[in-house]
Amino acid sequence: MQNSKWNRGVAVVGVGLSKFGAFPDKNSRDLFVEAYLDLIGTFKEFDPKRIEAFYLGNFSSDQFEKQAHLAPILSSWVGLSPIPAVRVEDACASSGVALRQAALSIASGEYDVVLVGGVEKMTDLEIAAVTEALATAADMQFEVTAGFTFPGFYAAMATAYMSEYNAQREAFYHVSIKNHNNGALNEKAQFGQTIKSIMESKIERAAQKGRPVPEWQDEIDFLSDPKGNPLIAWPMTLFDCSPVSDGAAVALLVSEEIADQFTDTPIYFIGSGQASDGALPERETLSRIPAATQAAARAYQMAGLSPQDIDLAEVHDCFTIAEIIATEDLGFFERGQGWQAAIQGKTARNGEQPVNTSGGLKSKGHPVGATGIGQLVEIWKQLNGLAGDRQAFGDLRIGLTHNVGGTGQTCVVNIFERRA
Amino acid sequence: MQNSKWNRGVAVVGVGLSKFGAFPDKNSRDLFVEAYLDLIGTFKEFDPKRIEAFYLGNFSSDQFEKQAHLAPILSSWVGLSPIPAVRVEDACASSGVALRQAALSIASGEYDVVLVGGVEKMTDLEIAAVTEALATAADMQFEVTAGFTFPGFYAAMATAYMSEYNAQREAFYHVSIKNHNNGALNEKAQFGQTIKSIMESKIERAAQKGRPVPEWQDEIDFLSDPKGNPLIAWPMTLFDCSPVSDGAAVALLVSEEIADQFTDTPIYFIGSGQASDGALPERETLSRIPAATQAAARAYQMAGLSPQDIDLAEVHDCFTIAEIIATEDLGFFERGQGWQAAIQGKTARNGEQPVNTSGGLKSKGHPVGATGIGQLVEIWKQLNGLAGDRQAFGDLRIGLTHNVGGTGQTCVVNIFERRA
C-alpha cells in the first residue's frame, strides 16, 4: 500500500460461497444463509457478536423478488441485528463496490470487524422479465430506448473490437472453452461441464436418438456451428454469454492489526479503485471500458504495483468479449492484443497471466449482486492454495478482482496480497 | 466528538434542495439537477473538479421509474464522471445512511470532498402501485403477507401506543397542525397550507357551492371530523399521513481541516449512529422503534451529548404517531410522555424542544430516498440562521436528524454542530 490514503489497513479473514445455479426452492435469504454458514465453517471459533456492521451488494431484489430493504432483512435473518446494515447498488458491480465500502468503513476507524455479502435470486422470473430487469442496469433513457438489451450492448462492443483490431471470432470461443475448463473443477459452479463434454454428450444423444450425428472435430468446430451453439446477438453466441443465476457470497473483513486473531491465512487489501461513466453514446469507442482503466489505475497506484505484478485475476466476463477487453483495460496486454492472448492460452489457469480460474461469470455463474464478492472468494482460495484441482501453479501472492456494472457505468478494481 | 472513533472529522459545507411535490414533467435526473444547482448557487466559487466521489440515497427508482444503477447516471448527468458513484439503499432511510457512508469515506482518508444526494420520483405510478412499491420496504414474507401496507403498520403502532400509555388521539392532530404550520413557511414544501387555511377553504368552498357549511370550530374539530379528514387506517387519518412526493436533496461534505476553503458557515458531524432490526412480529412492543433508540445511543455517545443538548431535530414523521414515538426513542421525553408533549406544544418551532421546523415529512413531503438529506438541509439552515420566516428562536448550535427505513428495520441518527 505504498500510496494508500486509508487511515489503516484492512484484511480479509474469511470467505463463504453458496452453490451458484438455478434453485427454484431457494430465495435470497436461503442463499445468503448458505454462504454465511460456509464462511463460519472455515473458522475454528467464531463469535458473531464481534461483527459490527454488514454491507450487502444486491442489484435488484426489488425487481427479482419484490423485496427491497434487503440488508437489514438478511442481517436479522442470521441473528446479527441490531448492527448497521447497508445495501449498496451499482448494478452487476454491486458487491465489488460493497466490498470497497466495507473496507473504507474499517479504514475510517468506525468498525474493526465487518461482514460484507452479495446476493441475487434471478431465476424466479421468466427469462424475458429477467432481461427486462437487467436492462434497468443500463441507461433506460439513452441506451435501452435504442432497442438494446445486454447481449446487444456487448455484441456492439465485440463488433467494434473486431473492426478496430481485426480480431478473429475464434478468440471468443477460446475464452468460453477456458472458463468452462476451469468451472468444471469448481464444485460451486453453475456449469460443471467442459465445452468438450457438452459437445460429446450432444453427439452421444444424437446417436442414441438415431438423428444425424454432428461431425464436430473439436470445441472450436462445435462452437462455430449454430446447431451446437446458437447465435444470440452477432457475434455473441449462447456460449459467449454468462447465465442467469442464483447465488450468494460473503467475506469477513477486519482491521489489519487484528487479522491474526481470526485466521492464519489472511489476505490484505493493498489497492482499490472505482470509477464511473455515462452511457455508451457518450464514449469515443466501444472497444474498451474507460471506467475499468481508471479504476485499475487508481488501484495500481495505491498498491504501488503494475499490471505485470498481478499473479492472477478474476475479471467480469459477463460476455466473452468483456473478458478480452478487461485484460486490456487492466493492462495485462496491449490494446488489440487481448484476443490473440486468449487464443494463445496466456490467460489459461497455468498460462502466463491466469484469468478467471474460478470459471468466471461464464461458467461459475453470474448472480449479479453476488459476483464481486464471488471473485474475492476465488482470489482468497488461490492465494492460500485452497483451490483444489483448479489451483494455479506458482507462488501466488497478488490477486485482482475486476467488477463491472451496466455497460461500464461502474467499475471497481480491488487488489489483494498474501503476506504469509 | 468526545468518543469518536473516526480517524478525522467531517464538515458539511453546503446543501441544496429541489422543490418537493408532484411534478409530472420531472424525472429523477431533473430533480437531482435542481437540487445540485441549488447547492452550487450557495457558493461564491465552486470547482466541481474538487468532488472526488458521489453517494446517492435512493429507495427504488427500480420500481418507480424502471431505472436501476442510478448513481453513475446522475453523477454523469451533472458532469462528474469518472468519480466513483455509489447508490445506498435502506428504504426510507436511504439518504440518511448514504450521508453516514459519505462521512465514513472521508473519515477513512480516501476522499477529502464528497457529494452526497438523495432522490425519489414517486408520482408517475398510480397510487395503488406506489403503495405496493413502498410495501417492498417492509418484510414481504413476514409483514406484508399479514395484509399490511405502511398506513396499517403505523396504525398498529399507534394503537399499541394509545393502549400502553392511555394516549389521546388528539395528540396526533397536534403533530399534524404543527408540521403544517411550519411547512407553510417553507417555500420548498409540498403543502404550503396550514391546517387552518385548508379548513377555511373547505368551509368557503361549501358556502360558494351552496352546500351545507361545516361547523368546525378549530383545527382539532376539523381533523376529528371524517368529512374533513377521512380515515385511512384507524387511528391514522388522511392528515396523519405524509404524502407521495417527488424531490431531491444534496449536501457537500469535506474533511474538517479544509472546511474553511469552502464556506464561512460549515456545520460538523459530531455524532452518528445506525442500527437495524427484524420484522414487527419479532418485537416485544409496537410502541417504540428499538433501532432508533440504539442508533441515537451511539450518536449521543460519539458526540458526548445527551438528548437535552439537542437544540432542534428533524425526525421521521412518515405518520404523526412516528413523530411522537421518535421524540421518545430519541430521549427528548420519557416513554409515554411524547403525546402530551405534542399537545402542550413542546415540539413547536419555538417550544422547548423544536421538532420538524421544516414541516417534516408530513408537510414538506416525503420523496423517500431524498428525505434523510432533506432533513440535513433544514438543520444546516436553522443552525446558520438561514431559515427565514420559520427560523427557530435562540442560539442554535446542535441539530439532529432521525431517519427511519421500513417499519424500523433501519434507523440512522446524525448529530451536527455549528461552531462559529
Side-chain angles (χ1 to χ4, degrees):
Chain A
M1 292 215 294
Q2 301 201 339
N3 306 299
S4 176
K5 296 195 286 179
W6 296 10
N7 280 309
R8 57 180 183 167
V10 178
V12 181
V13 294
V15 297
L17 194 67
S18 79
K19 177 96 171 90
F20 283 11
F23 307 110
D25 295 336
K26 291 182 184 174
N27 65 15
S28 282
R29 299 175 207 224
D30 302 314
L31 296 162
F32 180 73
V33 166
E34 189 180 329
Y36 184 65
L37 292 178
D38 189 44
L39 168 75
I40 291 181
T42 64
F43 295 104
K44 288 185 203 115
E45 286 179 66
F46 182 75
D47 179 6
K49 289 203 175 59
R50 293 198 68 175
I51 301 173
E52 296 166 276
F54 172 55
Y55 286 79
L56 172 71
N58 171 260
F59 165 52
S60 192
S61 64
D62 305 49
Q63 294 178 82
F64 291 122
E65 295 183 293
K66 282 281 164 204
Q67 178 67 69
H69 207 189
L70 196 60
I73 287 176
L74 294 185
S75 64
S76 157
W77 199 243
V78 295
L80 296 177
S81 297
I83 63 166
V86 179
R87 174 184 163 211
V88 171
E89 187 268 320
D90 263 323
C92 303
S94 292
S95 66
V97 174
L99 184 58
R100 180 174 152 87
Q101 296 314 309
L104 290 178
S105 78
I106 291 173
S108 78
E110 178 73 349
Y111 310 123
D112 294 325
V113 181
V114 173
L115 180 72
V116 58
V119 69
E120 210 81 51
K121 166 66 193 181
M122 303 172 72
T123 65
D124 279 353
L125 301 183
E126 295 296 320
I127 191 70
V130 172
T131 303
E132 199 178 309
L134 286 171
T136 67
D139 189 316
M140 294 295 283
Q141 198 166 325
F142 291 96
E143 291 178 329
V144 179
T145 46
F148 282 86
T149 56
F150 273 88
F153 291 127
Y154 279 88
M157 292 188 210
T159 310
Y161 183 89
M162 290 170 75
S163 163
E164 197 160 333
Y165 301 120
N166 204 22
Q168 294 163 20
R169 211 174 151 191
E170 191 181 317
F172 307 140
Y173 302 146
H174 280 273
V175 171
S176 185
I177 294 165
K178 166 184 72 74
N179 288 351
H180 275 270
N181 284 345
N182 291 340
L185 302 173
N186 185 346
E187 72 288 356
K188 299 291 178 78
Q190 182 161 2
F191 298 133
Q193 287 185 288
T194 61
I195 298 288
K196 194 174 182 201
S197 69
I198 293 168
M199 176 185 78
E200 287 170 351
S201 57
K202 286 200 181 217
I203 291 172
E204 200 178 328
R205 217 174 316 142
Q208 281 171 352
K209 299 210 170 180
R211 292 197 302 242
V213 176
E215 293 185 355
W216 299 314
Q217 299 304 308
D218 58 17
E219 296 112 304
I220 297 291
D221 208 23
F222 165 67
L223 292 175
S224 306
D225 181 356
K227 286 187 205 120
N229 181 22
L231 192 64
I232 301 296
W234 197 94
M236 294 287 100
T237 64
L238 182 64
F239 284 96
D240 289 303
C241 306
S242 63
V244 173
S245 314
D246 305 328
V250 298
L252 192 67
L253 271 50
V254 307
S255 62
E256 200 169 87
E257 63 273 18
I258 61 169
D260 62 3
Q261 297 174 16
F262 291 82
T263 182
D264 299 330
T265 57
I267 65 174
Y268 297 87
F269 264 88
I270 56 169
S272 182
Q274 186 184 339
S276 67
D277 204 352
L280 287 179
E282 297 173 45
R283 300 192 199 153
E284 281 180 34
T285 167
L286 299 189
S287 66
R288 52 189 75 181
I289 291 183
T293 307
Q294 289 153 337
R298 170 77 192 106
Y300 288 135
Q301 189 249 342
M302 175 170 161
L305 295 178
S306 74
Q308 288 65 47
D309 298 313
I310 304 301
D311 292 320
L312 84 168
E314 289 283 306
V315 313
H316 197 92
D317 61 320
C318 49
F319 297 89
T320 52
I321 178 62
E323 175 167 317
I324 290 173
I325 291 177
T327 61
E328 299 180 9
D329 288 337
L330 292 167
F332 297 156
F333 307 112
E334 295 292 316
R335 289 284 168 203
Q337 301 293 311
W339 68 276
Q340 285 163 314
I343 292 174
Q344 291 157 0
K346 291 185 178 172
T347 52
R349 197 165 67 251
N350 293 314
E352 63 183 55
Q353 185 68 62
V355 168
N356 285 336
T357 55
S358 69
L361 286 54
K362 175 67 200 84
S363 162
K364 187 175 64 173
H366 184 27
V368 293
T371 283
I373 294 175
Q375 294 175 324
L376 166 61
V377 171
E378 181 68 9
I379 294 298
W380 161 278
K381 291 193 175 177
Q382 290 284 352
L383 292 186
N384 284 318
L386 301 169
D389 289 343
R390 68 180 187 283
Q391 182 67 44
F393 292 164
D395 179 39
L396 308 175
R397 303 192 72 83
I398 311 281
L400 176 150
T401 61
H402 158 277
N403 193 195
V404 174
T407 55
Q409 278 97 340
T410 295
C411 185
V412 57
V413 171
N414 291 309
I415 304 176
F416 303 91
E417 180 183 36
R418 174 179 59 83
R419 293 177 187 163
Chain B
M1 293 215 293
Q2 302 200 338
N3 306 299
S4 176
K5 295 195 286 179
W6 295 10
N7 280 310
R8 57 180 182 166
V10 178
V12 182
V13 294
V15 296
L17 195 67
S18 78
K19 176 100 170 90
F20 282 11
F23 307 110
D25 295 337
K26 291 182 184 174
N27 65 14
S28 283
R29 300 176 207 224
D30 302 314
L31 296 162
F32 180 72
V33 166
E34 188 180 330
Y36 184 65
L37 292 177
D38 189 45
L39 168 75
I40 290 182
T42 65
F43 295 104
K44 286 184 204 118
E45 286 179 68
F46 183 74
D47 180 6
K49 288 204 176 59
R50 293 199 67 175
I51 300 174
E52 295 166 277
F54 172 55
Y55 285 80
L56 172 70
N58 172 259
F59 164 52
S60 191
S61 64
D62 307 48
Q63 294 178 80
F64 290 123
E65 295 184 294
K66 283 280 163 203
Q67 178 66 71
H69 207 186
L70 195 61
I73 287 176
L74 294 184
S75 63
S76 158
W77 200 244
V78 296
L80 295 177
S81 296
I83 64 166
V86 179
R87 173 184 164 212
V88 171
E89 187 265 321
D90 263 324
C92 303
S94 291
S95 67
V97 174
L99 184 58
R100 180 175 153 86
Q101 295 315 309
L104 291 178
S105 79
I106 291 173
S108 78
E110 177 73 350
Y111 310 122
D112 294 325
V113 181
V114 173
L115 181 72
V116 57
V119 68
E120 210 81 50
K121 166 66 193 183
M122 304 172 71
T123 66
D124 279 353
L125 300 183
E126 294 296 320
I127 192 70
V130 172
T131 303
E132 200 179 308
L134 286 171
T136 67
D139 189 316
M140 295 295 282
Q141 198 166 324
F142 291 97
E143 291 177 329
V144 180
T145 45
F148 282 84
T149 56
F150 272 89
F153 291 127
Y154 279 88
M157 292 188 210
T159 311
Y161 183 88
M162 290 170 75
S163 163
E164 197 161 333
Y165 301 120
N166 204 23
Q168 294 163 21
R169 211 172 152 192
E170 191 181 317
F172 306 141
Y173 302 146
H174 280 273
V175 171
S176 184
I177 293 165
K178 166 183 73 72
N179 287 352
H180 274 271
N181 284 344
N182 291 340
L185 302 172
N186 185 347
E187 72 286 357
K188 299 289 179 77
Q190 184 161 1
F191 297 132
Q193 286 186 288
T194 62
I195 298 287
K196 196 174 181 199
S197 69
I198 293 168
M199 175 184 79
E200 286 169 351
S201 58
K202 286 200 181 219
I203 291 172
E204 199 178 328
R205 216 173 320 140
Q208 281 170 353
K209 300 209 169 181
R211 292 197 301 242
V213 176
E215 294 184 356
W216 297 315
Q217 299 303 307
D218 58 18
E219 296 111 303
I220 297 292
D221 208 23
F222 165 68
L223 292 175
S224 306
D225 181 357
K227 286 186 203 121
N229 180 25
L231 191 65
I232 301 297
W234 196 92
M236 293 287 98
T237 65
L238 183 64
F239 283 98
D240 288 304
C241 305
S242 62
V244 172
S245 313
D246 304 330
V250 298
L252 192 66
L253 271 50
V254 305
S255 62
E256 201 170 87
E257 62 274 18
I258 61 169
D260 62 3
Q261 298 174 15
F262 291 83
T263 182
D264 299 332
T265 57
I267 65 175
Y268 297 87
F269 264 88
I270 57 168
S272 183
Q274 185 184 341
S276 66
D277 204 351
L280 287 181
E282 296 173 45
R283 299 190 200 154
E284 281 181 33
T285 169
L286 299 188
S287 66
R288 54 188 73 181
I289 291 183
T293 308
Q294 289 152 339
R298 170 77 192 107
Y300 288 137
Q301 190 249 342
M302 175 172 164
L305 296 178
S306 72
Q308 288 65 46
D309 298 313
I310 304 302
D311 291 322
L312 83 168
E314 290 283 306
V315 311
H316 197 91
D317 61 320
C318 49
F319 296 88
T320 52
I321 178 62
E323 175 167 319
I324 290 172
I325 291 177
T327 61
E328 298 179 10
D329 287 337
L330 292 167
F332 297 156
F333 308 112
E334 296 290 317
R335 290 283 169 201
Q337 302 292 311
W339 68 275
Q340 285 163 314
I343 292 175
Q344 290 158 2
K346 289 184 179 173
T347 52
R349 197 165 66 254
N350 293 314
E352 63 184 57
Q353 184 69 62
V355 168
N356 285 335
T357 56
S358 69
L361 286 54
K362 175 68 201 81
S363 161
K364 188 176 63 172
H366 185 26
V368 293
T371 284
I373 294 175
Q375 294 175 324
L376 167 61
V377 172
E378 180 69 7
I379 295 298
W380 160 278
K381 292 195 174 178
Q382 290 283 352
L383 294 185
N384 283 319
L386 301 170
D389 290 343
R390 68 180 187 286
Q391 182 67 44
F393 292 163
D395 179 41
L396 308 175
R397 301 191 75 84
I398 311 283
L400 176 151
T401 60
H402 158 277
N403 194 195
V404 174
T407 55
Q409 278 96 339
T410 295
C411 184
V412 58
V413 171
N414 291 310
I415 303 175
F416 303 92
E417 179 183 37
R418 173 179 60 81
R419 292 178 186 162

